[in-house]
Amino acid sequence: MSRIIGNVGMLDLTEATEESVKNIERIDNVGMVLYRAETAHLLALLTNAGNIGKTLEIPRGYRFFKGTLRLNAEYFKHKQPENVFTYGTVIIDRDVSLEAFEHSGLHMAVRGEVYVPKHLEGAVTASLLKMDGAEASIQAYQSELRFESGKFRLTNAYLSSLKEPRYLVVNGVLELEKDLDMEQFAARLETLHVNGMAMIHEEQSPYFYDKMKSINGQVKVIPAGFEHVTKTLRLNARTIRRFADRKLYTKHPIVLDADVTREAFSRAIAGIQSSSIVICSEDIEDLVWERCPDVNTEIVSYEQAFVFVEGEEVWSKEQLLALKEPASFIVEGTLILEDDVTEDVLEAKLHSLDLFGKVMIAEKRIKGVLYPYLRSMSGSIIVKGTEEKFAGIGNVGMLSL
């Protein structure tokens, strides 16, 4: 049976056959294709693949290993000579001596990173160069290695738990606690290495970059004095009281209810830096503009009532008619209008439409009804049944055929 597959990070053809390749009807894009000399001819059969970033041949006679391969002194003491091609990370422990490594008979080719103790850096580098290192990145360390994965928040408690300096590797998202003791940070970390994204506060930058050896990803800096808001923030007259002259940094929406007065907003919010939207009443719109200097911030105001659609919501004729007054619809997720929603109902209950996501409608003519109400239009209006349907496998990290 043929298959349609989305984007593939790595396509493994090392054990593939002509039959397994021919079963692929289409692949959108492939980051890298891995193959052996015996399966090289199958590359020519990938005619239905989109862009292929790179192809890489596993050397003849090499055992393939994917993931994290950790080698300690015991491994070198008992292991027989072998050839290993690693796609991922190789860690060589500090207890491995130079003599043990040189006499092990281990031949490595690595597509990824090799963490190696300082006293083995030269020998490992020479070995990889000799065996065609396959784009290995060598990271030499002196202190004990420590790995963290996923979303990792570096706190004072974590630093206090370290009895000696560490070489810290984060695979995922690293976030530095706002009140992190940066003197302790400097003392407890030998080096910092991030594969992913780092989120830091501006005042932490000198300490952070001093320890940062490399980053495969990006660094986001929260401006000095700003607080990081990590989810949609909705404030009313009561909840806004907990803020006092605060500055907010976020990539999520901020929603201000109609009962937030000019005085309350002025006392609570000193600044907003956002790459998302701020929803507010027309009464305080000018104040919100003053506090949002970033041109990337979308400010959406409403006159009386509003409906904010963040996820997916289905609205029927009955629900629309239940609105006491025409409302401003602000759609960041997906708004699905049921088939019984008619032109006269929309004209009676829709005040404006700010579209950042999707609106699903039953008939084409409803598009013509909605357009006069549009204020922001960075989303799309889709007639039900015409949306593109993907009948296959979604994005795949690694696919073996």
Side-chain angles (χ1 to χ4, degrees), residues 179-194:
D179 299 325
L180 194 67
D181 183 340
M182 299 311 292
E183 294 299 331
Q184 187 171 231
F185 173 90
R188 299 297 173 91
L189 295 184
E190 172 200 325
T191 303
L192 187 56
H193 183 88
V194 177

Side-chain angles (χ1 to χ4, degrees), residues 184-391:
Q184 187 171 231
F185 173 90
R188 299 297 173 91
L189 295 184
E190 172 200 325
T191 303
L192 187 56
H193 183 88
V194 177
N195 297 309
M197 187 180 78
M199 180 78 76
I200 66 172
H201 294 266
E202 188 175 14
E203 54 273 28
Q204 298 168 335
S205 297
Y207 295 89
F208 174 79
Y209 288 110
D210 184 55
K211 293 296 180 182
M212 175 58 65
K213 185 171 185 178
S214 61
I215 179 166
N216 298 320
Q218 59 177 325
V219 178
K220 288 194 174 183
V221 180
I222 301 169
F226 279 72
E227 293 183 41
H228 187 203
V229 179
T230 58
K231 61 182 181 180
T232 298
L233 184 64
R234 184 159 188 158
L235 300 173
N236 55 36
R238 180 174 55 84
T239 56
I240 202 170
R241 292 177 187 170
R242 63 176 168 154
F243 296 93
D245 208 29
R246 304 270 276 275
K247 295 180 179 178
L248 308 178
Y249 174 90
T250 186
K251 62 177 181 180
H252 300 280
I254 295 176
V255 183
L256 300 166
D257 284 348
D259 59 356
V260 175
T261 64
R262 295 177 66 85
E263 293 72 23
F265 179 78
S266 297
R267 283 195 301 270
I269 308 298
I272 297 173
Q273 183 158 324
S274 170
S275 56
S276 183
I277 58 176
V278 179
I279 300 170
C280 64
S281 71
E282 290 183 353
D283 293 340
I284 63 171
E285 183 180 5
D286 58 321
L287 295 178
V288 176
W289 279 105
E290 288 177 9
R291 284 159 173 77
C292 295
D294 191 336
V295 295
N296 294 315
T297 307
E298 290 274 0
I299 299 173
V300 179
S301 64
Y302 57 88
E303 184 178 343
Q304 294 174 313
F306 73 96
V307 174
F308 177 46
V309 179
E310 192 172 18
E312 180 177 299
E313 289 190 24
V314 180
W315 277 69
S316 65
K317 177 181 178 179
E318 183 181 11
Q319 287 173 292
L320 287 167
L321 289 175
L323 293 172
K324 293 180 180 177
E325 54 198 5
S328 297
F329 276 73
I330 302 153
V331 180
E332 194 189 54
T334 300
L335 171 63
I336 301 173
L337 296 178
E338 287 198 338
D339 296 357
D340 62 354
V341 174
T342 56
E343 179 179 344
D344 59 324
V345 171
L346 289 171
E347 289 175 345
K349 296 299 181 180
L350 188 61
H351 181 274
S352 61
L353 175 61
D354 291 281
L355 184 53
F356 305 101
K358 290 189 295 185
V359 175
M360 307 289 292
I361 57 176
E363 301 177 63
K364 285 183 180 178
R365 65 183 185 84
I366 298 296
K367 273 190 178 181
V369 180
L370 294 178
Y371 268 109
Y373 296 93
L374 278 170
R375 296 190 305 186
S376 305
M377 177 59 174
S378 57
S380 56
I381 301 174
I382 301 170
V383 179
K384 295 175 189 174
T386 64
E387 64 270 32
E388 185 177 352
K389 293 182 178 177
F390 181 73

